[in-house]
Amino acid sequence: MQKGLLSLLLLLLSLLGSLALEDLERKAFVFPEASNTAHVVLKANLTRPLTDVTLCMRFYTDLSRAYSLFSYASKRSSNELLLYVENNGQYGFYLGAHSVIFNIPETLRTNLGGKHVCVSYESSTGLVELWVNRQPLVRKSLPKGLSILPEASIVLGQEQDSFGGSFDINQSFRGEMSDVYMWDRVLSPDEVALAEYNDKLPDYLIDWRALNYAITGYAVVKPALLPSRSDWYNAVA
């Protein structure tokens, strides 16, 4: 009986992936190949619906097709919050049934050197802001008064078509991701600049320096190939 329970426990642990809570500064999640299995589940400090939100992250890829950057699903919608790169290199931001597309200037389309992106939604105005490598794009809008449910399945590396699953290899991410942060407020332009430099800001919902995550499939934690701007600044200084 005890051996059976032990075997069951080991099986459950293997299915859940490796669990961790750690400081990942100067590290990255590496997804070496496209798949419909490899992903990282993030646990956020969510206790109530979000009306305002900012998400920032750094990534490096050579993909030319569409792929998911950040997939936040609820029981209400598999796209409760989704940041997605479209086939034509545009960025799609989804809140439930609502979405907005950002056209990226040619100067920001290259993946050489990777990208740092921040996206935000403000419920009182409906405004959506997207910043790529500290450069703001023209503001867009979604309906006012939207909220994001706190009961979430948050996934990196895949796009959820159901709560916690239904992955499609053709939407998977290949490359590396790092410096993932989320707040329950809209960051100011100065704070976006600080986020790109990986400086500390208050009120994290997801904190790369104290990350609660689980890896499933072929994804690994390695030193980041792309240093943050603070690393570049310190190296020059």
Side-chain angles (χ1 to χ4, degrees):
M1 182 67 175
Q2 289 182 342
K3 289 184 178 180
L5 289 175
L6 179 60
S7 298
L8 179 60
L9 178 60
L10 292 174
L11 175 62
L12 289 174
L13 288 175
S14 67
L15 292 174
L16 288 172
S18 58
L19 296 176
L21 175 61
E22 62 181 283
D23 181 354
L24 291 183
E25 188 171 13
R26 295 186 176 87
K27 295 181 181 180
F29 291 131
V30 180
F31 301 89
E33 61 186 22
S35 77
N36 62 355
T37 55
H39 64 284
V40 178
V41 175
L42 304 183
K43 300 297 183 181
N45 183 25
L46 300 169
T47 58
R48 57 181 175 79
L50 302 178
T51 53
D52 296 343
V53 65
T54 300
L55 166 70
C56 293
M57 63 188 304
R58 202 179 311 275
F59 69 96
Y60 189 32
T61 183
D62 61 356
L63 288 173
S64 57
R65 59 162 170 80
Y67 53 91
S68 173
L69 286 175
F70 185 91
S71 176
Y72 179 125
S74 71
K75 296 296 180 66
R76 177 177 67 182
S77 173
S78 61
N79 294 337
E80 188 75 15
L81 187 160
L82 173 66
L83 181 59
Y84 194 82
V85 178
E86 309 288 346
N87 277 310
N88 53 11
Q90 296 174 317
Y91 283 61
F93 181 66
Y94 299 76
L95 288 182
H98 308 282
S99 63
V100 64
I101 300 295
F102 286 88
N103 295 311
I104 306 300
E106 287 296 329
T107 55
L108 294 175
R109 282 181 178 267
T110 177
N111 284 323
L112 184 64
K115 290 189 175 71
H116 181 267
V117 297
C118 288
V119 64
S120 65
Y121 169 75
E122 185 177 57
S123 181
S124 62
T125 63
L127 289 179
V128 180
E129 297 180 1
L130 179 67
W131 301 70
V132 179
N133 292 345
R134 253 193 324 161
Q135 300 299 311
L137 278 69
V138 175
R139 289 183 175 105
K140 302 294 180 78
S141 68
L142 290 174
K144 297 179 183 179
L146 299 180
S147 63
I148 301 164
L149 294 182
E151 296 82 13
S153 169
I154 303 174
V155 168
L156 303 178
Q158 302 285 346
E159 196 270 315
Q160 301 172 83
D161 286 328
S162 64
F163 188 82
S166 300
F167 303 143
D168 182 343
I169 190 172
N170 295 312
Q171 298 174 320
S172 66
F173 178 81
R174 186 183 69 221
E176 71 173 57
M177 294 181 175
S178 62
D179 300 337
V180 182
Y181 297 96
M182 190 166 75
W183 299 262
D184 61 353
R185 59 190 180 86
V186 175
L187 296 190
S188 69
D190 287 343
E191 287 178 314
V192 170
L194 291 174
E196 192 197 11
Y197 277 92
N198 208 26
D199 285 354
K200 293 182 179 180
L201 294 167
D203 307 323
Y204 294 113
L205 296 177
I206 296 176
D207 183 355
W208 190 252
R209 295 182 180 90
L211 197 67
N212 189 346
Y213 68 92
I215 293 176
T216 297
Y218 188 22
V220 295
V221 177
K222 297 292 286 183
L225 289 178
L226 299 176
S228 67
R229 282 185 177 268
S230 63
D231 291 331
W232 295 339
Y233 177 82
N234 292 334
V236 172

